[in-house]
Amino acid sequence: MEGFRRWCSVDSAARVTSRNCYVQLWVFQGIQICPCWIPLELWCPSTPPCHTTQTDKEELFQNVLTQVAEQFSRAFKINELKTEVTNRLAMLEKRVELEGMKVVEIEKCRNDIKKLREEMASRNNSNFLEDNKKLTPRRDVPSYPKYMLSQQTIEALKKPAFDVWLWEANEMLSCLEHMYHDLGLVKDFNINPITLKRWLLCIHDNYRNNPFHNFRHCFCVTQMMYSMICLCSLQEKFTQVDILILMTAAVCHDLDHPGYNNTYQINARTELAVRYNDISPLENHHCAVAFQIFSQPDCNIFSNFDPEAFKQIRQGTITLILATDMARHGEILDSFKQKVDNFDYTDEEHVTCLKMVLIKCCDISNEVRPMEVAEPWVDCLLEEYFMQSDREKSEGLPVAPFMDREKVTKPTAQIGFIKFVLIPMFETVMKLFPQIEEAMVQPLRESRDRYEELKQIDDAMNEVQKKKSENLTMGGKKK
């Protein structure tokens, strides 16, 4: 190092001093050279400096400058590569967002990203990606086949009469995806389309294969909510946050339902009943599962919300899911009846109460649909009821008459429910939205009348059977 100083004038060295250390920079022909850039063998030349000719000095400095130039060149190339790869990743991310609904394009982007990652790994330069630019999903893009909705299906989705039995799981997922796009939720809240797909697929996976409380029921309730939003022009009256809460609560409202209702949970002292102190154990569980799913980064459609906005979404969703507990039906409907005649859309309490009633309507809305769509749901519900009542009998627990296979029939199961629960609630909502009378209230009245006719037929047949039995008994006694 001393020999190197001897070849330079005193004026050609600059010293940079900091608090605890200093770095000495050598200046040659106007270029500052850090000693760490100079190979070790150049610091200790085999020939002593005092015997070195002018030509040797120039050759030595030429070698030093060549080494420095190579270091600069490599640094510049790395920066260029960083810029190039970052730009390419940004373009690919944009393509994934813009083409989120086209599986072919998504697959192509995935392949491009995979090749790019392999190239980056081979050059050992992956460390310069910024955290917010990393594309590291915990699993691949959902693999359910994309169902391209026809215009006829798109229009039918907006109507309460939509036939929910015609669709396979992947088609229902595509319909749910369309609803979020059509309502402007994806655009307005900057929801990543791929995250939306993953979330919906995870929702599907967390509904059990119960006779009634299954993923098709989830789809049924959400589609009815979507049709009410369209039919009642709710986007003109509610904020987009309210619309997002309504749709998301409908999707999540029965997550991981075990097929046995709250009465069974409480009487059997199940883990859920103990955990939630017998207070809406199922509904509390649905909420918990919903937000466990949202806690996974690759399923969090709310990832772009600030903490305060997310808190509002979370509270609103929980409030609506808890409102689906039928034990609270009278309380919620009475509260709404007190507000409906002087309803104020600027009053947060009024709006929340209306949203609670809307999700309740959608949750128990099967009889609004045409008979051929609604009646199979009654069979599914009775099957689940009978499964529970059989278990209650075997465990020595109380059995509700409307769930006992030995006491209930379709007409008796439906008439009271339609007359005293469904029609009064929908007629109250009709005061705010008269347009639902033809599409929703009238079908309920027709359903009530049909089941009453069926009950009369059943009663008549039972009466005939009873008389036959009595005649047979009397005949036997006479003999």
Side-chain angles (χ1 to χ4, degrees):
M1 182 172 180
E2 186 61 33
F4 185 76
R5 180 194 294 271
R6 205 178 301 157
W7 300 331
C8 303
S9 66
V10 176
D11 295 335
S12 65
R15 179 170 297 174
V16 179
T17 305
S18 63
R19 178 178 300 175
N20 298 317
C21 64
Y22 70 87
V23 176
Q24 185 164 293
L25 302 177
W26 302 99
V27 180
F28 178 72
Q29 295 182 353
I31 300 176
Q32 289 185 337
I33 303 172
C34 176
C36 66
W37 294 343
I38 302 174
L40 183 61
E41 60 269 19
L42 295 182
W43 282 109
C44 304
S46 57
T47 304
C50 58
H51 301 293
T52 304
T53 65
Q54 183 63 28
T55 303
D56 292 335
K57 292 181 181 179
E58 291 178 356
E59 182 179 349
L60 182 60
F61 276 109
Q62 187 62 44
N63 289 337
V64 171
L65 289 177
T66 300
Q67 293 285 342
V68 173
E70 289 178 358
Q71 294 284 351
F72 275 123
S73 178
R74 280 197 289 270
F76 290 146
K77 285 180 179 178
I78 289 173
N79 288 333
E80 289 173 0
L81 179 61
K82 289 180 181 179
T83 303
E84 177 187 353
V85 175
T86 302
N87 290 339
R88 288 174 66 184
L89 275 177
M91 291 174 62
L92 289 171
E93 281 186 292
K94 193 65 177 177
R95 283 173 60 190
V96 170
E97 292 179 359
L98 294 177
E99 303 296 330
M101 298 182 69
K102 298 180 181 178
V103 167
V104 174
E105 290 297 322
I106 290 173
E107 292 297 326
K108 186 175 185 305
C109 287
R110 287 174 57 207
N111 291 335
D112 291 345
I113 292 172
K114 182 178 179 182
K115 291 177 182 177
L116 185 57
R117 281 204 184 120
E118 291 173 351
E119 179 183 348
M120 289 162 54
S122 67
R123 300 189 184 186
N124 293 319
N125 283 321
S126 59
N127 61 317
F128 65 78
L129 279 174
E130 297 176 5
D131 289 341
N132 62 348
K133 292 293 180 73
K134 288 182 180 177
L135 296 178
T136 53
R138 297 199 330 196
R139 63 179 179 181
D140 290 339
V141 174
S143 58
Y144 63 86
K146 176 67 180 178
Y147 174 75
M148 301 305 294
L149 276 63
S150 67
Q151 191 59 40
Q152 182 180 6
T153 301
I154 289 173
E155 292 303 318
L157 265 177
K158 298 178 180 180
K159 299 176 182 177
F162 185 79
D163 190 344
V164 296
W165 295 106
L166 299 178
W167 314 94
E168 299 296 331
N170 67 294
E171 296 168 335
M172 290 188 283
L173 286 166
S174 294
C175 288
L176 291 172
E177 194 180 337
H178 167 78
M179 295 174 199
Y180 271 73
H181 281 278
D182 184 57
L183 292 171
L185 302 177
V186 174
K187 179 181 177 182
D188 291 351
F189 298 111
N190 195 25
I191 298 173
N192 187 322
I194 306 303
T195 304
L196 178 64
K197 284 176 176 288
R198 290 197 191 95
W199 173 65
L200 289 173
L201 191 64
C202 195
I203 290 292
H204 169 270
D205 293 344
N206 281 277
Y207 272 91
R208 301 192 194 184
N209 292 323
N210 299 315
F212 184 90
H213 292 100
N214 50 40
F215 178 70
R216 192 176 300 276
H217 170 67
C218 154
F219 173 71
C220 191
V221 173
T222 309
Q223 185 274 326
M224 187 62 73
M225 180 66 77
Y226 175 66
S227 70
M228 289 197 78
I229 290 170
C230 297
L231 181 63
C232 302
S233 303
L234 293 183
Q235 286 186 294
E236 298 176 6
K237 300 172 175 64
F238 287 166
T239 66
Q240 278 293 80
V241 170
D242 289 327
I243 299 297
L244 180 62
I245 290 171
L246 284 168
M247 291 293 294
T248 304
V251 170
C252 299
H253 84 284
D254 269 333
L255 275 168
D256 197 43
H257 196 296
Y260 300 92
N261 67 14
N262 280 332
T263 301
Y264 174 82
Q265 304 296 324
I266 294 169
N267 289 339
R269 301 176 184 175
T270 65
E271 180 183 350
L272 288 180
V274 172
R275 180 182 303 158
Y276 296 111
N277 304 309
D278 295 347
I279 301 172
S280 303
L282 288 181
E283 289 71 25
N284 275 293
H285 179 59
H286 305 325
C287 292
V289 174
F291 283 92
Q292 285 171 359
I293 294 173
F294 287 131
S295 70
Q296 303 177 30
D298 56 349
C299 294
N300 185 10
I301 61 173
F302 304 135
S303 60
N304 291 320
F305 283 68
D306 61 56
E308 193 59 35
F310 176 77
K311 182 179 178 181
Q312 180 185 359
I313 293 286
R314 173 173 161 79
Q315 186 57 57
T317 303
I318 290 172
T319 297
L320 296 199
I321 293 177
L322 292 180
T324 61
D325 183 356
M326 286 303 295
R328 299 181 58 200
H329 176 78
E331 161 209 335
I332 293 171
L333 185 58
D334 287 346
S335 176
F336 182 62
K337 285 179 178 179
Q338 294 171 9
K339 299 174 176 62
V340 70
D341 291 330
N342 297 292
F343 196 85
D344 182 1
Y345 284 100
T346 64
D347 188 319
E348 184 177 348
E349 184 181 346
H350 283 216
V351 171
T352 298
C353 188
L354 173 57
K355 289 189 293 184
M356 293 166 71
V357 171
L358 289 174
I359 196 169
K360 285 177 58 58
C361 287
C362 296
D363 188 25
I364 55 177
S365 64
N366 287 326
E367 291 299 335
V368 166
R369 302 180 190 274
M371 180 187 68
E372 62 273 16
V373 180
E375 192 166 359
W377 280 116
V378 182
D379 296 325
C380 293
L381 185 60
L382 289 178
E383 181 182 350
E384 198 166 292
Y385 279 175
F386 296 159
M387 185 171 68
Q388 175 174 322
S389 62
D390 291 345
R391 183 168 179 174
E392 287 169 332
K393 291 175 184 178
S394 69
E395 295 178 1
L397 298 174
V399 178
F402 68 89
M403 301 179 77
D404 192 335
R405 67 172 72 246
E406 297 173 2
K407 298 178 181 179
V408 72
T409 64
K410 273 190 188 181
T412 57
Q414 292 301 97
I415 291 173
F417 188 67
I418 295 172
K419 286 177 67 174
F420 302 114
V421 177
L422 290 178
I423 291 178
M425 181 166 63
F426 276 85
E427 285 182 340
T428 306
V429 174
M430 189 176 69
K431 293 182 179 180
L432 274 185
F433 307 109
Q435 59 268 45
I436 73 168
E437 180 171 16
E438 181 181 352
M440 305 183 86
V441 178
Q442 190 56 34
L444 286 175
R445 294 167 180 159
E446 292 171 0
S447 180
R448 174 200 59 196
D449 295 342
R450 183 175 69 255
Y451 280 115
E452 285 182 338
E453 290 175 5
L454 287 174
K455 185 176 184 302
Q456 290 175 1
I457 294 172
D458 285 349
D459 289 345
M461 292 179 65
N462 289 336
E463 188 65 28
V464 170
Q465 188 64 36
K466 182 179 178 182
K467 287 182 178 180
K468 283 185 179 180
S469 298
E470 289 176 352
N471 290 337
L472 288 173
T473 303
M474 293 296 292
K477 287 182 178 180
K478 286 180 181 180
K479 290 180 181 179

